[in-house]
Amino acid sequence: MTGSATQGIKTVLHPVSDLAKAKAVYAALLGISPQTDSPYYVGFEAEGQHIGLVPDGGPQGMTSPVAYWHVEDIEAKLAEVTAAGATVKEAAHEVGGGRLVATVTDPDGNVLGLIQDR
């Protein structure tokens, strides 16, 4: 197998219907307060993982949690996984701070996220 390796799953986003209630549950679970706390996103940094809460699935319409694989070159990884049978759901785009994200679906419809930090 050739191609670029991933840096592993370091980010998991969860769609939530009530941000305040979800924030309380995840704060209790993780034992920390969120590092990002806004009306459109709450994020926790815990043990090298980022756990994000997205109200109503956000603009991407998430209906279940999405694990994001961190990669060095998002366009190269998109090319590799689509050549292997994945379908692009959300093309690579910047979400702030130089971070690029994209999502693909595997042949069974599971959503896989990709993140590249510049």
Side-chain angles (χ1 to χ4, degrees), residues 22-47:
K23 179 171 53 172
V25 169
Y26 282 84
L29 173 68
L30 300 168
I32 58 173
S33 296
Q35 284 70 39
T36 304
D37 193 349
S38 71
Y40 58 89
Y41 187 82
V42 171
F44 297 86
E45 297 292 337
E47 302 297 324

Side-chain angles (χ1 to χ4, degrees), residues 83-105:
T87 303
V88 174
K89 181 175 181 354
E90 183 182 24
H93 63 282
E94 187 163 341
V95 293
R99 175 169 275 187
L100 298 172
V101 299
T103 56
V104 299
T105 55

Side-chain angles (χ1 to χ4, degrees), residues 12-81:
V12 179
L13 301 184
H14 298 268
V16 298
S17 60
D18 186 317
L19 191 59
K21 288 180 180 179
K23 179 171 53 172
V25 169
Y26 282 84
L29 173 68
L30 300 168
I32 58 173
S33 296
Q35 284 70 39
T36 304
D37 193 349
S38 71
Y40 58 89
Y41 187 82
V42 171
F44 297 86
E45 297 292 337
E47 302 297 324
Q49 298 259 321
H50 182 81
I51 307 300
L53 307 177
V54 183
D56 300 318
Q60 61 271 50
M62 294 170 43
T63 57
S64 62
V66 176
Y68 282 80
W69 296 82
H70 287 241
V71 299
E72 290 187 23
D73 183 337
I74 199 165
E75 293 296 344
K77 187 54 71 181
L78 280 169
E80 290 172 25
V81 298

